[in-house]
Amino acid sequence: MGARIVDSSGGLDITVRESPEGSVLHFNGCVDERARFGTVPVPGPNLIFDLGGVALINSLGIRGWVNWMREMRDKSFTFRRCSKAIVDQINVLEGFLPPTSFVESFFVPYHCDACGGGEQILFRHGEEFEKGTADRSGRVSPPTGAECPKCRARMEMDVIESKYFRFIRYRR
Amino acid sequence: MRVKLWGVRGSLPAPLSPENLEARLKDLLQDFFARGHRDASQIDAFLASIPPHRRGGFGGNTACVQVSTDAASLIIDAGSGLRRLGETMMGGPCGLGRGEAHILFTHFHWDHLIGLPFFIPIFVPGNQIHLYSVQPELEAAVKMMFTKPYFPVPFEQLGAKVHFHRLEPRVPAAFGDLTYTPYRLDHPDPCWGFRFEHAGKTFSHCVDTEATRLSPADLGPDLPLYQGVDLMIFDGQYTLLEVTEKINWGHAAAPIGLDLAIREGIKRILFMHHDPAASDDKIADAERQTREYFQAYQESARAAGRPAPSVEWAFAQEGMTVAV
């Protein structure tokens, strides 16, 4: 299945790739006022957003993003490899994710106190976390013994857990 | 240059109801005693420890802002906040029929006009009231307000002499030692912001606006309204989520102002035009959400190697005075 670059507005590149699970959209760059979501083709009912490459998102981009999500309210969304910038907005802005969405995975920054290095570790649904529902509270099970890629010392999560994992709790 | 906020609400005045005021007083009194205080001498320190939204609140009067230097004083808009400003002015030459007032109008929605019939200097013979706008309908709009059955005193019977002045869009105008330039805002009816300059300092008044034009290219000739400003007053009526729901309602959210500030080098922002349906608690919550948004943005920007300048900001309260 081929990939196409559909928007390169100077701040954000979006490539679309068709796959058996649906249309996979890879985002890379900054979601700001330059993002032109309306030009992105979104075929099919199932969309997978790979957001690992989103370095920055601001309110000017959020407005366009939320309006775009609303235009596609008949589709289902899977959010994959959400960067910290995206997770922060999921936590701050209720409504950032459409109701028909599922967060499959997201990155958690880890820091090494020994050498100052660090790494983004991917938390996957069903493994390192499970989202809360009306019947069950959410769960976060960080990997044990995350090692620094540079010096092999043990790394610590570089987030305030109660804030960063807030979106995993059930929201009515 | 000094900027005083006489009214910071939008759309409709929003006084605190008697029951809400009583509930607030009760809450404060309970808090006072719960902290072990017993003496009146402890009141000031106690109140200083209480966040502003639980004390006096953000205010209920609609838009009215005064810009002054030692040599000049201009008023922006005649919302209900103009009434108290007028009372203050009556203590000076206006009270003797030897005063003048200069009011710039951003636009003619009711919340920016309703204070005018209650601006006492306009009734005092001998006073000179100068009204300014870019829009040509200013005289018609004002005369309509002073027309029976909407108001008992017709325009022709006002004591003061009222002068109407038309402003050129995007052309600087001098007033004493102030220079001001109108720039177009994004609102359902024509609305103009003002950039004020004095002694190398700049203040921009950007209310009412939805800020739908955001990129430098889209802003075009109105971009200077935001560039390199020392103080900006910006429309913060809604939260970011509300703004995505209220498209074409004509108002913005604080995070949008912050992102403009980061890009354009604005040093300080005050957000006003608070929604009349928003309680002081709700406005304080919007302020908290804005703080979270800004902190998250700063962290992401630093991680991405992008500029993360600090911007001083607050949600405006009626009665605030800021030196620029």
Side-chain angles (χ1 to χ4, degrees), chain A residues 51-128:
Chain A
L51 298 168
V54 174
L56 200 58
I57 177 165
N58 71 9
S59 66
L60 313 181
I62 287 170
R63 193 162 62 176
W65 167 277
V66 173
N67 290 333
W68 188 41
M69 292 291 118
R70 285 211 185 101
E71 285 169 15
M72 300 188 289
R73 57 173 68 91
D74 56 338
K75 298 184 188 292
S76 75
F77 301 88
T78 298
F79 291 95
R80 174 180 294 172
R81 297 180 356 108
C82 300
S83 66
K84 182 179 183 297
I86 292 291
V87 173
D88 284 340
Q89 291 310 325
I90 293 172
N91 282 316
V92 169
L93 183 66
E94 196 168 332
F96 182 82
L97 294 180
T100 54
S101 64
F102 168 67
V103 175
E104 180 186 279
S105 57
F106 62 96
F107 285 104
V108 179
Y110 275 69
H111 178 75
C112 175
D113 285 333
C115 72
E119 192 177 34
Q120 301 281 331
I121 293 184
L122 191 67
F123 277 40
R124 299 154 297 171
H125 192 272
E127 300 288 335
E128 289 80 18

Side-chain angles (χ1 to χ4, degrees), chain A residues 30 32-34 36 55-60 62-63 66-67 70 84-85 88-89 91-96 163 166, chain B residues 210-212 214-215 218 240-241 243-245 247 255-256 259-260 263 289 292-293 295-297 299-301 304 306:
Chain A
C30 300
D32 57 21
E33 64 271 27
R34 293 171 292 179
R36 296 282 181 260
L56 200 58
I57 177 165
N58 71 9
S59 66
L60 313 181
I62 287 170
R63 193 162 62 176
V66 173
N67 290 333
R70 285 211 185 101
K84 182 179 183 297
D88 284 340
Q89 291 310 325
N91 282 316
V92 169
L93 183 66
E94 196 168 332
F96 182 82
K163 272 178 64 175
R166 193 161 62 191
Chain B
E210 193 168 341
T212 45
L214 292 164
S215 70
D218 288 341
L240 196 50
L241 183 62
V243 149
T244 65
E245 292 163 347
I247 298 169
I256 295 173
D259 286 322
L260 269 171
R263 194 185 73 201
Q289 287 179 37
E292 284 188 359
Y293 165 83
Q295 281 170 353
Y297 178 86
E299 283 172 15
S300 297
R306 291 266 296 243

